[in-house]
Amino acid sequence: MAFTEKLLTVPPPLTVAGRHIKRYHVTADPAGIAPEVEKAAYAILPELLPEPDGTPPATFVVLHRGGDDGAYLNAYSWVWDNVLHFRGAAAGQPALGCPDDDPTHFITPDLPWIGCVWELPPILHERDAWVRHLLAPDVPDLDAYVTDSLPAGTTGDRS
């Protein structure tokens, strides 16, 4: 099977457990991610977030609906001023330890993986936005960071 990029959408940010959550959704389906999958993914999100450590409370997530029954939620949280903390969840993917094919039944597999090729594009943008809005200015601007997202489009090369 030939590789193809997927669609990337950018829903509005949320606040969960006191953290500002920037959101990216990845899917091949032009209709987007099914509401029941999105609801189940965001229900497990609090389990993926680190304890506050004094770093501005910001996280970005990638919710990815695979081409099969799989659904994946990757939570990347800023900690220790400039470090990215990762925790992930998966549903509908027995190969990752999921108990069934249900894309709304999320678990937190204990794997050292940080994302697949379709889930990684937001990381570079988020790194640059964190530096631009929190680390480089004399006065950090968390609100500016929260509103600075990678534009919707595809997961592929944007140059």
Side-chain angles (χ1 to χ4, degrees):
M1 179 162 96
F3 175 81
T4 58
E5 296 293 352
K6 293 187 178 183
L7 301 172
L8 177 79
T9 57
V10 186
L14 301 171
T15 301
V16 175
R19 294 187 78 84
H20 301 275
I21 310 293
K22 296 169 70 170
R23 303 186 297 157
Y24 296 97
H25 287 183
V26 173
T27 181
D29 186 346
I33 294 176
E36 64 273 12
V37 173
E38 181 178 355
K39 180 179 178 184
Y42 290 118
I44 200 168
L45 180 57
E47 295 179 37
L48 307 180
L49 301 175
E51 292 296 319
D53 71 352
T55 302
T59 295
F60 63 96
V61 298
V62 178
L63 176 56
H64 177 192
R65 189 67 162 90
D68 53 11
D69 290 325
Y72 314 92
L73 181 65
N74 296 343
Y76 305 94
S77 298
W78 291 104
V79 297
W80 207 40
D81 189 42
N82 59 16
V83 173
L84 209 49
H85 170 279
F86 172 79
R87 290 264 343 253
Q93 188 56 264
L96 297 181
C98 297
D100 51 43
D101 294 339
D102 182 351
T104 67
H105 189 185
F106 279 87
I107 63 156
T108 54
D110 186 22
L111 295 170
W113 304 347
I114 65 165
C116 74
V117 296
W118 295 287
E119 298 162 354
L120 296 176
I123 292 176
L124 178 58
H125 174 85
E126 293 301 323
R127 179 262 181 215
D128 291 346
W130 190 255
V131 169
R132 187 169 42 252
H133 300 296
L134 277 292
L135 300 180
D138 290 336
V139 177
D141 189 345
L142 181 59
D143 290 337
Y145 169 76
V146 171
T147 61
D148 184 347
S149 294
L150 185 64
T154 65
T155 54
D157 187 4
R158 294 165 175 261
S159 57

